[in-house]
Amino acid sequence: MRLIARAIDWPFEALQRAFGAARMPYVFVAPNLAVFAIFVVAPMVMNVWYAVTGGTALMPGERPFVGLDNFQELLSCGNFLDVATCRQDRFWRAVGNTVWFVAFQVVGMVALSLLTALVLNRRIPLRGFFRAVFFYPVLLSPVVVALIWKWILQPDGLLNAGLVSAGLARQPFLLDPGWAFSWTVMVSIWAHMGFYTLILLAGLQAIPPDLYEAAEMDGTPVPRVFWRITLPLLMPNMLVVVVLGLIRAVQTFDEIFVLTGGGPGTATQYIVQYIYETAFANQIHILGLAAAASMLVGLVLLLLTLMQLAFSARAKQ
Amino acid sequence: MSNFLTRRRGKGRADITDWLSWLWLAIGVAVMFGPVLWLVLSSFKTQSALQEFPPGLLPMGQKLVMVQGFDKPLPVFAVPRPDGSTAERAMVRRIGLEGQMIDPAAPDKGVERVRIATATPVRELHFAFENYIEPLRNFNFGRYLTNSVFVTVVATAITLLINAMCAFALSKYQFRGRAGIFLFIVSTLMIPITVILVPAFLVVTGLGLGNSLWGVILPPAATPTGVFLLRQYMLTIPDELIDAARMDHASEWRVFWRIVLPLAAPALAVLAIFSVVWRWNDFLWPLIVLNREEVFTLQLGLAAFQGELNTQWHYLLAMTVVTLVPVTLVFAFLQKYITTGIASAGMK
């Protein structure tokens, strides 16, 4: 054991002898920064090059410069009200699906999380247990989440058995575009709401109890207490939750990819799946188009992140 | 009791909001835990039991008995007797519409012939453990499992080490560029992998890490959240301890390794838990880096297996359970660390 410890110490002590103690902090940050530089920063820069070059070659040097052609290809439509007239109609379908998905998912998730946090904030027995129940799906992998629900939603699954025993007709939950879209929203809410519930619960618990006591002494009705005390004081947390929810919803991929594969047709194909398939899964790998699309997504995420920073700076005040 | 139930309006009986709260919690337990419970119960059903509609709640199978003189267990049927009662008989052989049955309690009494239509199979609780054993042995799931464990363990060790080294320098030294480096690291928090998929894949391929588990392990190892969390914690470690060690001629590395690291154990534990969950559950990045089946992780193996025609649900469900067991254990025993981690750093 001591020998191993010596073996770990030795190279770093040699480095200290070579550079001096004052330069050791640079040695300490080096590995982390190296990984960042190679796998995050360099790709960031290269993404721009991919977006302005064409062809199917992977090596950057072999790619011909095409200027803004990729963006033009993505964005040009004969008529912007009709997806079918766009040159990359799959891109626009994915964008449209993502917008609807994000809207429903975030609104539904924030509403349910808020309701759950309010309930968990009451003085109830077993609060820790209930909090854990709502949080548990957050830790499940997207593949597991998708398979759990795929099993329940299949034609001979539990839910259809419930419908049949209630005298109703079976529903093609994952085969009908409308149903499939709704289920991607619901499964996504199921998998992630526990996280947001936790943040909102922390916000609720930070509200000073004497405010409520004062309101009670004045005989303020409950709904008024909620609108005038709870909600305003929870606002900073609410905004963080909404923006964080938006950022993550825009990037939804894995669960849906395994649950529906983007189908039926393109009914549940979202923007990250478009990028993934354009770059890696389709027969021809159109890397430039994928990079351009990912830059557009990055732009949206950047705006959302700046919003979040502004909100959390305000919340700290 | 009602004082106990209500938070702010303690007077009197439980009112309507209390009932609604309890209703909400009850629905919550059913909706959040129910699907997972259903998965676990289903995973123990035999292939034929999975095809039943409507599905039964518990894994049931036809009762089998070993009878002297037969190599294989025989299926048991309830056979009506002339006097109106029923008796259990084991079927030896089936001939057309009739079955040759014997009394499992008295096999010497000889074979009787029973019309199959009149006999009903006797069912009992039966756990199909073969759903778990066969995919691990005959398909590649054993391999996937090893790969997943390797990625999770090695990646977590590397993450902890390099994040802790970086956090140590950022919290305990004054040096040129410190503020800039910290800002840089925190700002990379904002760059999701989805935005740099294409070039990140090129880098990994260019370094010869394509289709290698190291290509999955290294790129996400320098987590900004980890550096941030550890730095905040190390700032609370008193500098006097470090100065005292330097007086004793300890090298800077030893100060880090022997003094700061052990003291930062609580924060390291939180990061370790999160790293294990992140890595075990990771899907999109491995999906891009790994294309050959031998290097698949469990998540990829599951996704590929479910995409095949004629999904073999009995194996798939069992392997899904195997995949969720580690995070469930982590959750059951270390829940407190996870919730504090989220509260302090907003990690997920």
Side-chain angles (χ1 to χ4, degrees):
Chain A
M1 210 50 215
R2 177 164 292 179
L3 212 65
I4 296 171
R6 287 241 164 255
I8 297 171
D9 288 348
W10 184 82
F12 287 95
E13 285 170 349
L15 282 171
Q16 186 172 345
R17 276 194 295 277
F19 294 126
R23 294 213 180 84
M24 279 311 278
Y26 297 104
V27 172
F28 281 116
V29 294
N32 208 66
L33 287 188
V35 173
F36 263 138
I38 296 170
F39 295 110
V40 179
V41 181
M44 278 273 293
V45 177
M46 276 153 49
N47 208 26
V48 181
W49 177 250
Y50 274 104
V52 296
T53 52
T56 53
L58 179 63
M59 288 303 145
E62 299 162 15
R63 300 176 58 81
F65 182 77
V66 296
L68 294 178
D69 279 8
N70 285 320
F71 291 95
Q72 207 167 22
E73 166 88 19
L74 282 180
L75 299 177
S76 64
C77 287
N79 169 8
F80 277 93
L81 294 175
D82 182 7
V83 176
T85 64
C86 297
R87 254 199 277 171
Q88 279 291 319
D89 60 324
R90 277 183 51 241
F91 172 74
W92 284 103
R93 276 182 223 282
V95 168
N97 288 341
T98 309
V99 168
W100 283 113
F101 175 84
V102 169
F104 284 112
Q105 201 261 3
V106 173
V107 169
M109 188 170 67
V110 171
L112 291 176
S113 303
L114 178 62
L115 209 56
T116 310
L118 284 170
V119 169
L120 288 176
N121 192 38
R122 298 168 71 93
R123 192 167 297 164
I124 47 170
L126 299 177
R127 188 200 282 171
F129 166 77
F130 285 118
R131 197 179 57 191
V133 165
F134 282 95
F135 186 75
Y136 175 60
V138 174
L139 291 184
L140 297 178
S141 84
V143 179
V144 168
V145 167
L147 290 178
I148 286 175
W149 283 98
K150 199 170 184 172
W151 176 237
I152 289 176
L153 297 173
Q154 56 146 341
D156 289 337
L158 181 65
L159 208 62
N160 270 321
L163 287 182
V164 168
S165 73
L168 300 166
R170 286 194 208 200
Q171 295 295 329
F173 289 121
L174 295 176
L175 302 173
D176 169 76
W179 270 122
F181 174 80
S182 318
W183 276 109
T184 61
V185 173
M186 289 189 272
V187 168
S188 174
I189 292 177
W190 181 83
H192 302 293
M193 69 173 277
F195 176 75
Y196 300 92
T197 304
L198 221 58
I199 297 181
L200 290 177
L201 184 59
L204 285 175
Q205 285 171 344
I207 298 176
D210 32 329
L211 283 177
Y212 289 112
E213 281 159 25
E216 196 184 354
M217 282 210 274
D218 295 345
T220 319
V222 184
R224 211 176 144 83
V225 172
F226 176 75
W227 290 109
R228 290 296 170 83
I229 298 178
T230 312
L231 210 53
L233 287 174
L234 194 62
M235 242 349 165
N237 287 55
M238 280 289 278
L239 289 173
V240 169
V241 160
V242 168
V243 179
L244 216 56
L246 286 171
I247 290 175
R248 288 184 179 156
V250 170
Q251 299 177 64
T252 300
F253 169 71
D254 347 37
E255 294 139 15
I256 312 306
F257 182 65
V258 179
L259 183 68
T260 67
T266 54
T268 58
Q269 191 170 94
Y270 302 125
I271 188 68
V272 174
Q273 191 183 344
Y274 170 81
I275 296 172
Y276 164 73
E277 292 194 337
T278 307
F280 301 106
N282 288 348
Q283 213 128 51
I284 305 167
H285 298 184
I286 313 172
L287 300 172
L289 220 49
S294 71
M295 281 185 71
L296 294 177
V297 173
L299 197 67
V300 173
L301 293 177
L302 183 71
L303 289 176
L304 290 171
T305 308
L306 291 177
M307 260 167 72
Q308 189 201 1
L309 287 178
F311 287 144
S312 48
R314 259 226 316 245
K316 283 215 179 80
Q317 277 171 11
Chain B
M1 185 61 188
S2 61
N3 273 337
F4 189 50
L5 290 176
T6 58
R7 183 174 157 87
R8 316 190 166 101
R9 279 161 308 117
K11 331 174 203 90
R13 304 178 297 116
D15 67 3
I16 178 78
T17 59
D18 294 313
W19 293 113
L20 287 176
S21 298
W22 283 106
L23 183 67
W24 184 253
L25 292 176
I27 294 173
V29 172
V31 172
M32 294 320 227
F33 265 168
V36 180
L37 195 66
W38 180 245
L39 169 79
V40 174
L41 284 174
S42 302
S43 76
F44 285 106
K45 290 179 178 173
T46 57
Q47 192 174 10
S48 57
L50 284 176
Q51 278 158 1
E52 286 168 16
F53 187 87
L57 182 64
L58 294 170
M60 305 291 264
Q62 186 163 16
K63 189 173 167 186
L64 300 172
V65 285
M66 284 302 292
V67 179
Q68 221 173 14
F70 297 92
D71 311 334
K72 285 187 186 164
L74 304 174
V76 178
F77 288 83
V79 176
R81 311 304 300 167
D83 59 2
S85 68
T86 57
E88 287 194 359
R89 291 290 180 268
M91 182 159 78
V92 180
R93 191 177 298 115
R94 184 179 172 157
I95 305 164
L97 296 174
E98 290 186 337
Q100 296 185 339
M101 305 222 183
I102 55 171
D103 186 349
D108 308 335
K109 279 209 265 177
V111 176
E112 49 190 294
R113 307 177 96 188
V114 179
R115 285 180 59 85
I116 297 280
T118 64
T120 45
V122 175
R123 290 159 62 81
E124 62 175 6
L125 206 56
H126 171 80
F127 291 95
F129 291 108
E130 61 271 20
N131 291 351
Y132 285 80
I133 297 161
E134 279 167 25
L136 287 172
R137 197 184 289 155
N138 303 343
F139 297 89
N140 267 332
F141 276 96
R143 185 62 164 279
Y144 307 154
L145 185 63
T146 337
N147 288 341
S148 269
V149 170
F150 179 78
V151 167
T152 305
V153 171
V154 174
T156 300
I158 293 178
T159 300
L160 287 181
L161 181 68
I162 66 175
N163 282 4
M165 284 168 65
C166 186
F168 172 60
L170 291 175
S171 61
K172 291 297 167 200
Y173 290 96
Q174 299 289 340
F175 60 97
R176 209 126 71 95
R178 187 178 74 158
I181 291 174
F182 182 63
L183 205 67
F184 166 68
I185 289 175
V186 172
S187 65
T188 54
L189 190 60
M190 315 304 175
I191 304 167
I193 184 82
T194 44
V195 176
I196 52 168
L197 277 183
V198 176
F201 173 70
L202 167 78
V203 169
V204 166
T205 322
L207 293 174
L209 297 176
N211 272 322
S212 139
L213 293 178
W214 290 101
V216 174
I217 291 170
L218 285 178
T223 63
T225 15
V227 175
F228 182 74
L229 180 89
L230 292 173
R231 174 183 170 272
Q232 299 303 91
Y233 194 87
M234 286 178 183
L235 283 174
T236 65
I237 296 173
D239 290 336
E240 289 78 24
L241 285 172
I242 295 170
D243 293 336
R246 286 206 185 107
M247 299 277 212
D248 293 340
H249 302 289
S251 66
E252 300 302 311
W253 171 260
R254 275 184 190 231
V255 170
F256 166 68
W257 191 252
R258 302 279 158 77
I259 294 170
V260 174
L261 215 49
L263 286 172
L268 287 170
V270 172
L271 179 59
I273 293 167
F274 274 86
S275 174
V276 164
V277 174
W278 288 331
R279 293 316 190 112
W280 184 263
N281 288 346
D282 203 6
F283 180 69
L284 177 56
W285 184 238
L287 177 70
I288 285 165
V289 177
L290 307 175
N291 298 310
R292 285 213 321 268
E293 223 212 333
E294 313 88 87
V295 284
F296 275 6
T297 58
L298 258 184
Q299 311 287 347
L300 291 184
L302 275 181
F305 196 72
Q306 71 94 26
E308 284 168 14
L309 286 173
N310 300 322
T311 304
Q312 292 180 295
W313 275 105
H314 55 306
Y315 292 151
L316 189 59
L317 294 172
M319 290 304 102
T320 309
V321 173
V322 168
T323 309
L324 69 75
V325 161
V327 283
T328 307
L329 290 179
V330 165
F331 177 68
F333 293 106
L334 305 169
Q335 202 223 117
K336 197 166 258 172
Y337 290 97
I338 297 171
T339 41
T340 47
I342 285 175
S344 65
M347 323 202 267
K348 184 187 177 186

